[in-house]
Amino acid sequence: MSHGFDDGHTIGDLGTPAGAKHYDADGHLKRHYYEKELRRLQTELVKLQYWVQHAGLRVLIIFEGRGSAGKGGVIKRINERTSPRIVRTVALPKPTEREQTQWYFQRYVPHLPSGGEIVLFDRSWYNRSNVEWVMGFCTEEQHQEFLRTCPSFERMLVRSGIVLLKYWFSISYGEQERRFNARNEEPIKRWKLSDMDLEEHRHYVRYSMAKDTTFQHTDIKQAPWFVVPSDDKRRARLNCISHILDSIPYDDIVPDPVEIPERLNPPYIRPPMGEQTFVPQRY
Protein backbone atom coordinates (compact mmCIF):
# COMPACT_ATOMS: atom_id res chain seq x y z
CA MET A 1 0.00 0.00 0.00
CA SER A 2 1.46 3.36 -1.00
CA HIS A 3 1.14 6.33 1.37
CA GLY A 4 2.76 8.86 -0.95
CA PHE A 5 5.72 9.32 1.37
CA ASP A 6 7.89 6.35 0.43
CA ASP A 7 11.41 7.32 -0.53
CA GLY A 8 10.42 6.99 -4.16
CA HIS A 9 12.68 4.32 -5.60
CA THR A 10 12.07 0.93 -7.12
CA ILE A 11 14.45 -1.94 -7.68
CA GLY A 12 14.53 -1.26 -11.42
CA ASP A 13 15.61 2.38 -11.13
CA LEU A 14 19.33 1.58 -11.03
CA GLY A 15 19.35 -0.72 -14.04
CA THR A 16 21.08 -4.08 -14.09
CA PRO A 17 24.82 -3.43 -14.56
CA ALA A 18 25.65 -6.94 -13.33
CA GLY A 19 23.65 -8.54 -16.13
CA ALA A 20 20.12 -9.90 -16.05
CA LYS A 21 21.29 -13.44 -15.27
CA HIS A 22 22.50 -12.29 -11.85
CA TYR A 23 19.02 -11.15 -10.73
CA ASP A 24 16.04 -13.21 -9.65
CA ALA A 25 12.48 -12.76 -10.86
CA ASP A 26 11.86 -10.03 -8.26
CA GLY A 27 14.89 -8.02 -9.36
CA HIS A 28 17.06 -8.98 -6.37
CA LEU A 29 20.68 -9.97 -6.71
CA LYS A 30 21.29 -13.70 -6.54
CA ARG A 31 23.28 -14.84 -3.52
CA HIS A 32 26.17 -16.47 -5.43
CA TYR A 33 26.90 -13.35 -7.48
CA TYR A 34 26.47 -11.08 -4.44
CA GLU A 35 28.94 -13.08 -2.34
CA LYS A 36 31.47 -13.16 -5.17
CA GLU A 37 31.25 -9.39 -5.68
CA LEU A 38 31.37 -8.73 -1.94
CA ARG A 39 34.62 -10.68 -1.64
CA ARG A 40 36.09 -8.68 -4.51
CA LEU A 41 35.06 -5.36 -2.98
CA GLN A 42 36.32 -6.38 0.45
CA THR A 43 39.70 -7.11 -1.13
CA GLU A 44 39.69 -3.56 -2.50
CA LEU A 45 38.78 -2.21 0.95
CA VAL A 46 41.92 -3.87 2.32
CA LYS A 47 43.95 -2.12 -0.38
CA LEU A 48 42.25 1.15 0.54
CA GLN A 49 43.07 0.80 4.23
CA TYR A 50 46.76 0.23 3.44
CA TRP A 51 46.75 3.37 1.32
CA VAL A 52 44.91 5.45 3.94
CA GLN A 53 47.46 4.42 6.54
CA HIS A 54 50.41 5.02 4.18
CA ALA A 55 49.19 8.45 3.03
CA GLY A 56 47.98 9.55 6.46
CA LEU A 57 44.51 10.27 5.15
CA ARG A 58 41.67 11.12 7.50
CA VAL A 59 38.43 9.57 6.25
CA LEU A 60 35.02 10.06 7.87
CA ILE A 61 32.01 8.17 6.52
CA ILE A 62 28.53 8.93 7.88
CA PHE A 63 25.75 6.35 7.61
CA GLU A 64 22.24 7.67 8.15
CA GLY A 65 18.72 6.63 7.20
CA ARG A 66 15.59 5.01 8.51
CA GLY A 67 15.54 2.14 10.98
CA SER A 68 16.27 -1.28 9.42
CA ALA A 69 17.43 0.39 6.19
CA GLY A 70 20.72 -1.52 6.26
CA LYS A 71 23.27 0.88 7.75
CA GLY A 72 24.56 -1.71 10.19
CA GLY A 73 24.72 -4.37 7.49
CA VAL A 74 27.06 -2.42 5.23
CA ILE A 75 29.21 -1.31 8.17
CA LYS A 76 29.55 -4.95 9.22
CA ARG A 77 30.70 -5.94 5.70
CA ILE A 78 33.23 -3.10 5.64
CA ASN A 79 34.65 -4.17 9.01
CA GLU A 80 34.64 -7.87 8.17
CA ARG A 81 38.04 -7.92 6.41
CA THR A 82 39.63 -4.66 7.53
CA SER A 83 41.77 -3.87 10.56
CA PRO A 84 39.98 -2.34 13.59
CA ARG A 85 43.17 -0.35 14.20
CA ILE A 86 42.61 1.51 10.94
CA VAL A 87 38.85 1.21 10.31
CA ARG A 88 36.78 1.87 13.42
CA THR A 89 33.07 2.31 14.01
CA VAL A 90 31.51 4.98 16.22
CA ALA A 91 27.95 4.39 17.46
CA LEU A 92 27.31 6.80 20.32
CA PRO A 93 24.57 6.18 22.92
CA LYS A 94 22.09 8.86 23.96
CA PRO A 95 23.87 11.92 25.38
CA THR A 96 24.49 12.12 29.10
CA GLU A 97 23.20 15.01 31.20
CA ARG A 98 26.64 16.62 30.99
CA GLU A 99 26.79 16.20 27.21
CA GLN A 100 23.36 17.77 26.87
CA THR A 101 24.84 21.02 28.23
CA GLN A 102 27.69 21.06 25.69
CA TRP A 103 27.94 22.59 22.24
CA TYR A 104 25.96 20.12 20.16
CA PHE A 105 28.87 18.88 18.01
CA GLN A 106 31.27 18.65 20.95
CA ARG A 107 30.75 14.99 21.81
CA TYR A 108 31.38 13.95 18.20
CA VAL A 109 34.68 15.84 17.79
CA PRO A 110 36.85 13.42 19.87
CA HIS A 111 35.82 10.59 17.54
CA LEU A 112 36.92 12.29 14.32
CA PRO A 113 39.67 10.43 12.42
CA SER A 114 43.35 11.00 13.00
CA GLY A 115 45.91 10.52 10.24
CA GLY A 116 45.77 7.02 8.77
CA GLU A 117 42.24 6.27 10.03
CA ILE A 118 38.84 5.57 8.52
CA VAL A 119 35.98 6.28 10.94
CA LEU A 120 32.47 4.99 10.26
CA PHE A 121 29.70 6.88 12.04
CA ASP A 122 26.70 4.60 12.62
CA ARG A 123 24.36 7.56 12.95
CA SER A 124 25.89 10.90 13.70
CA TRP A 125 25.16 14.53 14.50
CA TYR A 126 22.21 14.17 12.13
CA ASN A 127 20.29 12.69 15.06
CA ARG A 128 19.33 16.29 15.80
CA SER A 129 17.53 16.92 12.51
CA ASN A 130 15.95 13.49 12.33
CA VAL A 131 15.29 11.41 15.46
CA GLU A 132 15.42 14.29 17.93
CA TRP A 133 13.24 16.59 15.85
CA VAL A 134 10.62 13.94 14.99
CA MET A 135 10.39 12.60 18.55
CA GLY A 136 10.41 16.01 20.20
CA PHE A 137 13.76 15.49 21.97
CA CYS A 138 14.98 18.94 20.91
CA THR A 139 13.34 22.33 20.68
CA GLU A 140 12.48 23.97 17.39
CA GLU A 141 15.17 26.57 18.13
CA GLN A 142 17.78 23.81 18.56
CA HIS A 143 16.62 22.21 15.34
CA GLN A 144 16.91 25.45 13.38
CA GLU A 145 20.31 26.21 14.90
CA PHE A 146 21.55 22.77 13.81
CA LEU A 147 20.37 23.34 10.24
CA ARG A 148 22.21 26.70 10.19
CA THR A 149 25.38 25.43 11.84
CA CYS A 150 25.87 21.97 10.34
CA PRO A 151 26.93 23.08 6.83
CA SER A 152 29.56 25.42 8.30
CA PHE A 153 30.81 22.66 10.61
CA GLU A 154 31.16 20.20 7.73
CA ARG A 155 32.85 22.75 5.49
CA MET A 156 35.35 23.30 8.28
CA LEU A 157 36.03 19.55 8.48
CA VAL A 158 36.60 19.35 4.73
CA ARG A 159 38.87 22.40 4.72
CA SER A 160 40.92 20.76 7.46
CA GLY A 161 41.65 17.88 5.08
CA ILE A 162 39.12 15.29 6.24
CA VAL A 163 37.59 13.19 3.47
CA LEU A 164 33.88 13.31 4.33
CA LEU A 165 31.31 10.97 2.77
CA LYS A 166 27.63 10.98 3.76
CA TYR A 167 25.26 8.12 2.89
CA TRP A 168 21.50 8.06 3.40
CA PHE A 169 19.97 4.57 3.30
CA SER A 170 16.51 4.80 1.80
CA ILE A 171 13.84 2.18 2.45
CA SER A 172 10.17 2.09 1.49
CA TYR A 173 7.40 1.89 4.07
CA GLY A 174 6.37 -1.60 2.97
CA GLU A 175 9.90 -3.01 3.14
CA GLN A 176 10.52 -1.46 6.55
CA GLU A 177 7.32 -3.05 7.80
CA ARG A 178 8.38 -6.42 6.39
CA ARG A 179 11.78 -6.25 8.11
CA PHE A 180 10.26 -5.20 11.43
CA ASN A 181 7.82 -8.12 11.26
CA ALA A 182 10.68 -10.51 10.46
CA ARG A 183 12.61 -9.29 13.49
CA ASN A 184 9.55 -9.60 15.67
CA GLU A 185 9.00 -13.22 14.66
CA GLU A 186 12.53 -14.39 15.56
CA PRO A 187 13.53 -14.33 19.26
CA ILE A 188 17.24 -14.00 18.39
CA LYS A 189 16.53 -10.87 16.34
CA ARG A 190 13.86 -9.28 18.53
CA TRP A 191 16.46 -7.23 20.40
CA LYS A 192 16.92 -5.26 17.16
CA LEU A 193 13.32 -4.02 17.40
CA SER A 194 13.38 -1.19 19.93
CA ASP A 195 10.56 1.04 21.12
CA MET A 196 12.19 3.82 19.10
CA ASP A 197 11.98 1.68 15.96
CA LEU A 198 8.26 1.19 16.51
CA GLU A 199 7.74 4.91 16.98
CA GLU A 200 9.81 5.62 13.89
CA HIS A 201 7.61 3.30 11.84
CA ARG A 202 4.50 5.01 13.20
CA HIS A 203 5.96 8.41 12.29
CA TYR A 204 7.15 7.36 8.83
CA VAL A 205 5.70 10.48 7.22
CA ARG A 206 7.32 12.79 9.77
CA TYR A 207 10.66 11.11 9.09
CA SER A 208 10.14 11.81 5.38
CA MET A 209 9.63 15.46 6.24
CA ALA A 210 12.73 15.44 8.46
CA LYS A 211 14.88 13.87 5.75
CA ASP A 212 13.70 16.34 3.11
CA THR A 213 14.38 19.31 5.40
CA THR A 214 17.80 17.93 6.33
CA PHE A 215 18.76 17.56 2.67
CA GLN A 216 17.55 21.06 1.82
CA HIS A 217 20.03 22.55 4.30
CA THR A 218 22.95 20.10 4.39
CA ASP A 219 23.26 18.66 0.87
CA ILE A 220 26.18 20.98 0.17
CA LYS A 221 28.80 20.98 -2.56
CA GLN A 222 31.66 20.29 -0.14
CA ALA A 223 29.82 17.40 1.55
CA PRO A 224 26.91 16.15 -0.56
CA TRP A 225 24.49 13.42 0.43
CA PHE A 226 24.58 10.13 -1.47
CA VAL A 227 21.31 8.18 -1.33
CA VAL A 228 21.53 4.38 -1.19
CA PRO A 229 18.26 2.67 -2.22
CA SER A 230 18.15 -0.30 0.14
CA ASP A 231 14.97 -2.30 -0.38
CA ASP A 232 17.42 -4.89 -1.76
CA LYS A 233 20.08 -5.25 0.96
CA ARG A 234 22.59 -6.98 -1.29
CA ARG A 235 22.49 -4.29 -3.93
CA ALA A 236 22.68 -1.58 -1.28
CA ARG A 237 25.82 -3.05 0.27
CA LEU A 238 27.62 -3.51 -3.03
CA ASN A 239 26.62 -0.10 -4.37
CA CYS A 240 27.66 1.72 -1.22
CA ILE A 241 31.03 -0.02 -0.86
CA SER A 242 31.85 0.42 -4.54
CA HIS A 243 31.01 4.14 -4.27
CA ILE A 244 33.34 4.52 -1.28
CA LEU A 245 36.13 2.90 -3.29
CA ASP A 246 35.41 5.17 -6.27
CA SER A 247 35.42 8.27 -4.05
CA ILE A 248 38.90 7.85 -2.54
CA PRO A 249 41.80 7.43 -5.00
CA TYR A 250 44.24 4.76 -3.80
CA ASP A 251 47.09 2.62 -5.02
CA ASP A 252 47.63 -1.07 -4.36
CA ILE A 253 50.47 -1.15 -1.84
CA VAL A 254 49.50 -4.41 -0.13
CA PRO A 255 52.82 -5.90 1.03
CA ASP A 256 54.20 -9.08 -0.49
CA PRO A 257 53.96 -12.30 1.51
CA VAL A 258 56.45 -12.40 4.38
CA GLU A 259 58.70 -15.24 5.41
CA ILE A 260 57.39 -16.98 8.52
CA PRO A 261 60.31 -17.45 10.97
CA GLU A 262 61.13 -20.81 12.47
CA ARG A 263 60.59 -21.32 16.18
CA LEU A 264 63.45 -20.58 18.55
CA ASN A 265 64.12 -23.32 21.10
CA PRO A 266 65.68 -21.87 24.25
CA PRO A 267 66.18 -24.29 27.18
CA TYR A 268 62.78 -24.47 28.89
CA ILE A 269 60.64 -27.21 30.45
CA ARG A 270 56.91 -26.46 30.53
CA PRO A 271 54.82 -27.37 33.59
CA PRO A 272 52.53 -30.42 33.22
CA MET A 273 49.46 -29.78 31.07
CA GLY A 274 47.32 -31.42 33.76
CA GLU A 275 47.85 -28.39 36.00
CA GLN A 276 45.82 -26.22 33.63
CA THR A 277 42.03 -25.90 33.66
CA PHE A 278 40.43 -26.49 30.26
CA VAL A 279 36.92 -25.68 29.11
CA PRO A 280 34.65 -28.74 28.84
CA GLN A 281 35.14 -30.46 25.47
CA ARG A 282 31.49 -30.64 24.43
CA TYR A 283 32.13 -30.44 20.71
Side-chain angles (χ1 to χ4, degrees):
M1 177 179 178
S2 175
H3 293 256
F5 286 90
D6 284 1
D7 286 331
H9 67 270
T10 62
I11 290 300
D13 287 345
L14 297 179
T16 55
K21 65 181 180 180
H22 298 303
Y23 296 84
D24 62 23
D26 295 324
H28 293 80
L29 272 181
K30 294 180 179 178
R31 178 177 293 277
H32 175 73
Y33 177 79
Y34 160 73
E35 292 177 347
K36 178 182 176 182
E37 277 297 289
L38 180 60
R39 286 194 299 272
R40 184 182 69 82
L41 293 176
Q42 287 177 328
T43 299
E44 294 301 313
L45 284 171
V46 171
K47 296 176 184 179
L48 174 62
Q49 77 168 6
Y50 272 108
W51 181 255
V52 166
Q53 187 178 47
H54 167 78
L57 299 181
R58 292 175 291 154
V59 179
L60 175 62
I61 307 177
I62 289 175
F63 297 89
E64 287 287 350
R66 299 180 187 272
S68 79
K71 302 178 295 297
V74 75
I75 290 172
K76 179 180 178 181
R77 273 68 188 182
I78 292 172
N79 287 332
E80 221 166 24
R81 303 296 182 187
T82 54
S83 168
R85 297 182 181 88
I86 302 173
V87 183
R88 59 184 175 89
T89 300
V90 175
L92 298 183
K94 61 183 292 187
T96 64
E97 289 187 14
R98 180 173 182 272
E99 288 172 333
Q100 290 176 22
T101 68
Q102 296 173 347
W103 174 51
Y104 178 70
F105 296 95
Q106 187 170 337
R107 76 187 192 115
Y108 295 98
V109 170
H111 302 282
L112 295 176
S114 299
E117 286 186 339
I118 301 174
V119 175
L120 314 176
F121 270 23
D122 185 355
R123 295 198 182 274
S124 64
W125 43 78
Y126 284 100
N127 279 335
R128 167 106 334 153
S129 63
N130 292 289
V131 176
E132 292 188 17
W133 180 74
V134 171
M135 303 307 298
F137 296 154
C138 68
T139 65
E140 186 56 37
E141 290 75 18
Q142 289 173 325
H143 178 229
Q144 291 300 318
E145 177 61 20
F146 172 83
L147 295 176
R148 284 192 295 267
T149 305
C150 183
S152 297
F153 176 67
E154 292 182 350
R155 290 188 184 101
M156 181 174 62
L157 296 181
V158 174
R159 284 199 305 270
S160 77
I162 289 177
V163 177
L164 176 58
L165 296 172
K166 304 188 304 192
Y167 294 100
W168 185 278
F169 282 70
S170 170
I171 184 173
S172 65
Y173 179 83
E175 179 61 18
Q176 185 185 63
E177 184 175 44
R178 188 194 68 77
R179 292 181 188 178
F180 281 172
N181 285 330
R183 291 178 180 182
N184 200 27
E185 290 169 1
E186 294 193 45
I188 62 173
K189 291 185 177 180
R190 205 167 292 149
W191 63 270
K192 293 183 176 182
L193 195 60
S194 67
D195 291 340
M196 194 62 66
D197 289 328
L198 299 177
E199 283 300 296
E200 177 179 337
H201 191 60
R202 190 161 70 94
H203 290 287
Y204 189 94
V205 175
R206 287 272 290 175
Y207 271 91
S208 295
M209 296 166 59
K211 176 224 175 180
D212 293 341
T213 301
T214 296
F215 272 41
Q216 288 170 12
H217 289 81
T218 64
D219 187 18
I220 58 177
K221 178 180 179 181
Q222 297 83 354
W225 278 106
F226 297 101
V227 178
V228 183
S230 58
D231 274 11
D232 183 337
K233 289 182 179 181
R234 295 172 186 170
R235 293 183 71 179
R237 292 166 186 168
L238 298 184
N239 286 326
C240 183
I241 294 173
S242 62
H243 186 270
I244 292 171
L245 293 167
D246 286 342
S247 300
I248 307 172
Y250 64 96
D251 291 334
D252 182 357
I253 57 170
V254 175
D256 294 329
V258 298
E259 183 177 344
I260 307 300
E262 294 183 3
R263 183 184 65 184
L264 298 176
N265 292 300
Y268 174 64
I269 299 176
R270 298 190 65 187
M273 297 289 283
E275 294 181 0
Q276 301 176 34
T277 303
F278 291 86
V279 298
Q281 300 298 293
R282 293 176 178 152
Y283 302 98

